Structures are given as structure tokens and as C-alpha cells.
Amino acid sequence: MSTDWRRAIETQREEKDRYFGGDPHSPIPPDERESFDGLEYYPIDEDYRFELPLHEYDDTEPVTVGTSTDGEREYLRWGEFRFTVDGEDVALQAYKGDPDDERLWVPFRDATSGDETYGAGRYLDLEDDAHRTNDGNWILDFNEAYNPTCAYSDRYECPLPPTENWLEVPIEAGEKAYH
């Protein structure tokens, strides 16, 4: 397998650390930025990178998702990814905020949530141009899993992963909990 995808993830992580540590729009509270020395991640692991078809639904259903501030947001349940982690078959729902959007949002919780990773869960954003293979499959790479902004400061409102995307298996890839 090519190492280009590994280098791309390393670069994303370096850029995010620079942004979080120094940008005025960083979600890290201003009084913590000076001592910020980077986010913690699991090592990049090929076993958590999947190229999969999205099993799209004929009739997309609206789903109301709770937020970290007791609010609600509407999404469309667009399709399902099916794959195997550590010998266990699992499925994750993919959502869209707008039917015309090419981006898929895949929020999830797993067995690491609340321990090694952010308790409310993590996200994957799948962009049509960056996360599609030539044969039309999607690249579901948990090495790219990231914390929502509310993991760094309670001034943010974040949608929470619906219970249908709570996995029993650990996903030991991507961003770890912020201290």
C-alpha cells in the first residue's frame, strides 16, 4: 500500500497542531494556547483504513441529533458502511446536512470513548473529491477521526453521535482525548 495517505495524515495533524496552538480562531481557550504542545493521536494504522461501498438508502430519513448543549439538529440518514473491526462485523450510518452536499458526516462512539478518546465521540468527514476511489468506493479512514470542537471548550455546540453509531469495538485510531 502506498505511503502517500500516511504522509497526508501526518501533514493534516501537523497543520491542525499549528492552527490550534496559534490561530486566534482556535477552539483551544486562549489561556491554554501558549502551553499547547499538540494533540495526541493513535499511531497511524492501516488496519483502520477501509475502502467501502456506501449502501445508500432509497428513501433518506430525517434524523434529529442531540447536541452537547441540549439542542437539536436535523440530518438525513444517507447510507450505511459495513465493515469488520478486530473480527467483528459493524455498521456505521453516514449522514448529510443537505441532500445536495457531496460531503458525508460519520459521527461515532466506540469502546475507547470516555477513556482514551473524547467521551461524546468523534467524527469523520468524507469529501467526495478526497475520499472516493476510482471505482466509486468511499475511503473510511479512522486515522482521520477527530474530536468535535466542544472537546476543547464548552463555548461550542456539537452534534452528538446518534446511538445507532455507537460501536462496541474499540477504534484505536485517530485523535485521542484532549487533556
Side-chain angles (χ1 to χ4, degrees), residues 108-110 112-122 147 151 161 166 177:
F108 68 96
R109 284 182 57 162
D110 66 281
T112 69
S113 299
D115 182 24
E116 296 175 11
T117 62
Y118 182 55
R122 296 178 287 162
N147 293 330
W166 291 15

Side-chain angles (χ1 to χ4, degrees), residues 4 18 35 46 55 78 87 138 174:
D4 290 348
R18 273 195 297 280
S35 62
E46 188 176 325
H55 301 277
W78 205 257
W138 286 89

Side-chain angles (χ1 to χ4, degrees), residues 5-150:
W5 67 271
R6 286 180 187 276
R7 184 67 207 134
I9 290 170
E10 290 167 355
T11 300
Q12 287 171 356
R13 292 176 177 185
E14 291 163 4
E15 290 172 356
K16 187 172 184 176
D17 282 348
R18 273 195 297 280
Y19 174 79
F20 273 38
D23 193 281
H25 297 102
S26 168
I28 302 289
D31 60 332
E32 294 178 28
R33 287 186 201 143
E34 193 169 308
S35 62
F36 178 76
D37 61 355
L39 298 171
E40 288 189 51
Y41 297 92
Y42 287 99
I44 297 171
D45 187 341
E46 188 176 325
D47 289 342
Y48 289 101
R49 185 176 194 275
F50 303 90
E51 293 183 7
L52 307 164
L54 175 67
H55 301 277
E56 289 189 31
Y57 297 122
D58 292 332
D59 296 314
T60 57
E61 293 180 35
V63 176
T64 302
V65 174
T67 70
S68 58
T69 58
D70 295 326
E72 293 181 338
R73 293 197 189 162
E74 280 277 309
Y75 290 90
L76 294 170
R77 185 182 296 115
W78 205 257
E80 179 177 85
F81 290 110
R82 301 172 192 147
F83 53 102
T84 303
V85 176
D86 290 332
E88 188 165 330
D89 293 337
V90 295
L92 281 176
Q93 303 301 308
Y95 305 92
K96 286 189 177 189
D98 178 323
D100 296 325
D101 194 357
E102 294 299 319
R103 171 194 304 217
L104 295 174
W105 179 56
V106 184
F108 68 96
R109 284 182 57 162
D110 66 281
T112 69
S113 299
D115 182 24
E116 296 175 11
T117 62
Y118 182 55
R122 296 178 287 162
Y123 299 164
L124 288 172
D125 293 328
L126 306 182
E127 303 286 344
D128 189 58
D129 58 345
H131 294 95
R132 294 296 289 268
T133 62
N134 290 337
D135 61 1
N137 282 334
W138 286 89
I139 299 169
L140 190 69
D141 190 343
F142 289 97
N143 295 289
E144 296 181 24
Y146 69 95
N147 293 330
T149 52
C150 53

